[in-house]
Amino acid sequence: MAYSNFTLETVQKEFQLEFVERAGIFAEIEPVTPSELLTTLLTKKVPLATTINTEKARSELIVADVLFELWEQFERRISLFSGIDFNVDAEIGLTGMCDFLVSLSPMQSFLEAPIIVLVEAKKEDTAPGLGQCVAEMLAAQRFNAQKENDIPCVYGAATTGTEWKFLKLEDNLLQLDMSVYSIAECDRILGILSSMVEQKA
């Protein structure tokens, strides 16, 4: 089994998570104004990405630019990884490739704890990515513990690039924000991602 084999139902049962879902979990987070460059890039790239309409195009043309903006706003004090193998525990299925990982370490040459945010990109619907994202969050939780670099929460996002849904994992409690955040409100998405890095979400 690998991350991509998990659904939200199977990951919740397999790992006996306490599961809470409600709208607006991240609604009170202060927005962060995107740079003029990101605004310009998204204006040009979003229509192209949605026309091509593949997971790869949405990842490369939208998601990567949003996360690069996050990296720059934190003055490169965090690290960003894309498409890397993240094999933590094969016996329980926590293996496979992650679309995007954000670590609180500034080390960019290799992945170092603590991992804070995992982003799973999908083609047209965020729902299939939620279970996979949660499995990756659980792996990050274990990875951080193994490196003796525990942090209170690990966060996740499932996104089509144009629509984002956010999750929070604290110990055994998984919270899913049922609200959908649109790339048209990129400032809210950046605000939520920034608050995750700062552990304020």
Side-chain angles (χ1 to χ4, degrees), residues 80-94:
L80 174 63
F81 297 86
S82 173
I84 67 166
D85 287 325
F86 187 48
N87 301 317
V88 176
D89 192 332
E91 288 188 9
I92 56 176
L94 299 181

Side-chain angles (χ1 to χ4, degrees), residues 2-59:
Y3 302 127
S4 58
N5 297 120
F6 284 103
T7 65
L8 196 55
E9 181 181 9
T10 59
V11 76
Q12 188 270 331
K13 288 182 178 178
E14 182 77 20
F15 295 96
Q16 299 181 329
L17 298 173
E18 182 183 348
F19 185 34
V20 175
E21 53 182 356
R22 62 180 174 84
I25 292 173
F26 299 98
E28 301 304 315
I29 301 297
E30 285 293 318
V32 170
T33 303
S35 66
E36 186 176 333
L37 175 60
L38 178 61
T39 302
T40 300
L41 288 173
L42 291 178
T43 300
K44 293 179 178 180
K45 290 184 176 184
V46 168
L48 177 60
T50 54
T51 300
I52 297 173
N53 201 27
T54 63
E55 185 177 315
K56 190 170 188 289
R58 289 171 176 268
S59 292

Side-chain angles (χ1 to χ4, degrees), residues 17-188:
L17 298 173
E18 182 183 348
F19 185 34
V20 175
E21 53 182 356
R22 62 180 174 84
I25 292 173
F26 299 98
E28 301 304 315
I29 301 297
E30 285 293 318
V32 170
T33 303
S35 66
E36 186 176 333
L37 175 60
L38 178 61
T39 302
T40 300
L41 288 173
L42 291 178
T43 300
K44 293 179 178 180
K45 290 184 176 184
V46 168
L48 177 60
T50 54
T51 300
I52 297 173
N53 201 27
T54 63
E55 185 177 315
K56 190 170 188 289
R58 289 171 176 268
S59 292
E60 292 176 346
L61 296 172
I62 306 174
V63 181
D65 280 350
V66 171
L67 294 178
F68 181 79
E69 174 89 355
L70 181 73
W71 182 67
E72 288 220 309
Q73 288 200 357
F74 278 89
E75 299 176 337
R76 308 181 185 191
R77 289 180 282 111
I78 59 175
S79 50
L80 174 63
F81 297 86
S82 173
I84 67 166
D85 287 325
F86 187 48
N87 301 317
V88 176
D89 192 332
E91 288 188 9
I92 56 176
L94 299 181
T95 62
M97 190 180 75
C98 294
D99 287 340
F100 297 96
L101 291 174
V102 178
S103 170
L104 291 182
S105 166
M107 180 65 66
Q108 193 62 68
S109 297
F110 57 87
L111 183 60
E112 190 172 62
I115 296 168
I116 184 70
V117 183
L118 297 104
V119 180
E120 182 60 33
K122 290 298 171 191
K123 179 181 174 183
E124 293 178 320
D125 183 8
T126 57
L130 291 172
Q132 184 173 350
C133 187
V134 173
E136 293 168 4
M137 292 164 69
L138 286 161
Q141 195 179 57
R142 284 162 170 73
F143 179 84
N144 292 342
Q146 289 167 8
K147 300 293 185 180
E148 298 182 346
N149 208 336
D150 285 344
I151 51 176
C153 303
V154 173
Y155 296 94
T159 180
T160 62
T162 53
E163 294 185 344
W164 295 65
K165 293 189 83 166
F166 294 102
L167 307 101
K168 176 180 181 179
L169 178 65
E170 184 172 11
D171 296 324
N172 204 48
L173 174 63
L174 173 67
Q175 297 182 66
L176 168 63
D177 191 338
M178 297 300 291
S179 301
V180 177
Y181 297 87
S182 167
I183 195 64
E185 47 186 4
C186 184
D187 58 339
R188 297 190 70 193

